[in-house]
Amino acid sequence: MMRTRPLKVALLGCGVVGSEVARIMTTHADDLTARIGAPVELAGVAVRRPSKVRDGIAPSLVTTDATALVKRGDIDVVVEVIGGIEPARTLITTAFEHGASVVSANKALIAQDGAALHAAAGEHGRDLYYEAAVAGAIPLIRPLRESLVGDKVNRVLGIVNGTTNFILDAMDTTGAGYQEALDEATALGYAEADPTADVEGFDAAAKAAILAGIAFHTRVRLDDVYREGMTEVTGADFASAKRMGCTIKLLAICERAADGGSVTARVHPAMIPLSHPLASVREAYNAVFVEAEAAGQLMFYGPGAGGSPTASAVLGDLVAVCRNKLAEATGPGESAYTQLPVSSMGAVVTRYHISLDVADKPGVLAQVATVFAEHGVSIDTVRQTGKDGEASLVVVTHRAPDAALTGTVEALRNLDTVRGVASIMRVEGE
């Protein structure tokens, strides 16, 4: 039986994503009513600039007092798309206290304080959904915490930031330099005026923390994620990658240790074989590989950002939360029963591609090989070119603990015959 009293929704934020959420709620109202089993009503919109014209939103719904909106007591669901830590954190917990469930797209907040927010939701018997916090429109969080909950996930590997993928793809396919590719991404609206969060890996690290926590049923905070940006990637790195049959991507990698006793989460640029499906992910698209014991390898692909894709994920959560509300139930909460420790990057087993500027004289290769041997790192391939007393030496290693590889690089820097380390990059996906 269809309920006639509408479920009331408060929208916090009405920027690119928020305005699209409001538009879809209005234009698809009949469909949403049919899917939920009750009408949904936009009951209020909290913004910073109330004088701005917002198409399709009645001025009477607009307020600058977000706290008063979430405290009203008649709000069923709060949709938070303002981002940042505060006031979003306080507004979400206040919403729980006053009877509302929450749908959020706030990756930074969930990565930092997800455990506390889940606890607050559980204390008050409310839902906390955040599909839109990771990879835009791509269904990823719900498959991990619902569809694959009966399986054992061992690895999550993916491209979760569209800005960085657009830049690296442009560098690879057009030969553009980093700054040129960044300028193009900015002009097309893929990069913010300040792209630091994207290009330095902070955005991807927050998403990695969320994915690792859900996949491995353990608490992984943003501070647990190893992070490297991609601003130092050069055309020479792409040339080296092509010689190896690879390209370069900024990857988020979450892994369960082989013995099952710990997990790791990291974000960094890496060479990946052209034969790997992630190598063909172009422009601003995202893609994530999930490796599970029973299901095997699964790939999720699609637009990872933007108003419409992100709003699609928000509306999917809104429908689920509203259905739960009608059923007087709640969906899955935090699952952190394993309480696995998060290992440091030094414990990660990986491969390295190391490019050295060296003196072009006999014995240099032997000295370099000795350093690798002394640190317990096996060499896979070596390529040396040079003339006029200078040479380039490219070494690709077998898999070894990252701490051993880091120690190897530091020892190489101390060799008199090594003029400098031109580049260091991990090799993944093999």
Side-chain angles (χ1 to χ4, degrees):
M1 180 176 178
M2 182 74 68
R3 184 176 112 164
T4 57
R5 184 176 69 81
L7 293 160
K8 294 188 176 183
V9 178
L11 179 60
L12 308 183
C14 198
V16 173
V17 176
S19 59
E20 188 66 8
V21 169
R23 184 192 68 78
I24 295 173
M25 285 185 64
T26 302
T27 58
H28 295 183
D30 291 343
D31 286 337
L32 291 173
T33 298
R35 293 167 190 171
I36 292 169
V40 287
E41 172 188 309
L42 188 59
V45 182
V47 300
R48 288 184 297 177
R49 297 187 296 276
S51 60
K52 181 179 177 181
V53 176
R54 294 172 171 86
D55 294 338
I57 298 177
S60 60
L61 295 178
V62 177
T63 178
T64 58
D65 194 343
T67 301
L69 179 59
V70 301
K71 282 184 173 180
R72 274 179 33 175
D74 65 337
I75 300 297
D76 294 291
V77 184
V78 169
V79 174
E80 183 273 307
V81 289
I82 57 178
I85 305 302
E86 289 290 358
R89 174 171 50 196
T90 299
L91 290 170
I92 288 174
T93 55
T94 301
F96 292 145
E97 293 165 1
H98 287 79
S101 291
V102 173
V103 172
S104 176
N106 196 331
K107 54 188 168 288
L109 179 58
I110 301 300
Q112 178 173 306
D113 290 316
L117 293 176
H118 273 295
E123 178 185 351
H124 296 285
R126 308 301 170 202
D127 272 325
L128 174 63
Y129 277 49
Y130 42 88
E131 184 68 62
V134 180
I138 304 171
L140 189 56
I141 289 176
R142 191 173 285 112
L144 280 173
R145 73 176 185 176
E146 295 182 31
S147 303
L148 294 173
V149 72
D151 206 341
K152 181 180 180 182
V153 176
N154 291 316
R155 195 172 195 233
V156 179
L157 168 75
I159 299 163
V160 295
N161 183 276
T163 300
T164 54
N165 199 59
F166 181 91
I167 293 170
L168 292 172
D169 182 51
M171 293 175 70
D172 185 24
T173 57
T174 71
Y178 167 75
Q179 190 60 52
E180 182 183 355
L182 172 59
D183 290 344
E184 183 183 4
T186 304
L188 292 172
Y190 293 128
E192 302 286 346
D194 180 1
T196 302
D198 294 322
V199 299
E200 293 295 351
F202 291 101
D203 175 86
K207 296 169 181 176
I210 295 170
L211 292 175
I214 297 170
F216 306 136
H217 303 280
T218 199
R219 287 178 179 168
V220 180
R221 288 171 50 89
L222 181 57
D223 292 344
D224 296 323
V225 182
Y226 174 85
R227 177 193 56 79
E228 281 182 27
M230 41 76 70
T231 57
E232 301 300 317
V233 177
T234 66
D237 292 324
F238 275 103
S240 293
K242 286 180 179 179
R243 282 193 288 268
M244 290 178 59
C246 293
T247 189
I248 298 171
K249 300 291 186 182
L250 185 75
L251 298 178
I253 305 169
C254 312
E255 294 178 307
R256 189 191 301 268
D259 63 4
S262 64
V263 299
T264 57
R266 51 195 165 106
V267 169
H268 54 73
M271 294 182 180
I272 188 165
L274 294 175
S275 58
H276 195 285
L278 290 178
S280 61
V281 178
R282 302 289 306 280
E283 299 182 337
Y285 279 77
N286 285 191
V288 177
F289 247 78
V290 176
E291 299 176 9
E293 279 196 358
Q297 292 187 335
L298 306 172
M299 183 172 175
F300 300 82
Y301 170 84
S308 294
T310 306
S312 171
V314 170
L315 266 296
D317 278 351
L318 178 62
V319 168
V321 170
C322 286
R323 286 172 173 171
N324 291 342
K325 192 86 173 180
L326 292 179
E328 298 183 348
T330 55
E334 183 189 32
S335 175
Y337 71 92
T338 61
Q339 299 182 11
L340 296 173
V342 183
S343 297
S344 68
M345 185 64 191
V348 172
V349 177
T350 183
R351 297 179 68 200
Y352 263 37
H353 174 283
I354 305 170
S355 180
L356 305 171
D357 295 326
V358 299
D360 187 14
K361 61 181 184 181
V364 172
L365 180 56
Q367 287 184 329
V368 169
T370 297
V371 170
F372 278 90
E374 289 174 347
H375 287 81
V377 178
S378 176
I379 294 174
D380 182 15
T381 62
V382 178
R383 186 181 72 256
Q384 184 173 2
T385 59
K387 63 179 180 178
D388 301 327
E390 298 296 330
S392 174
L393 188 65
V394 176
V395 179
V396 180
T397 72
H398 286 292
R399 290 169 60 84
D402 199 81
L405 290 161
T406 302
T408 301
V409 172
E410 291 306 310
L412 290 171
R413 294 183 194 274
N414 293 326
L415 290 179
D416 292 338
T417 51
V418 174
R419 311 294 194 219
V421 179
S423 70
I424 308 168
M425 191 167 296
R426 295 174 182 87
V427 182
E428 299 287 346
E430 295 182 309

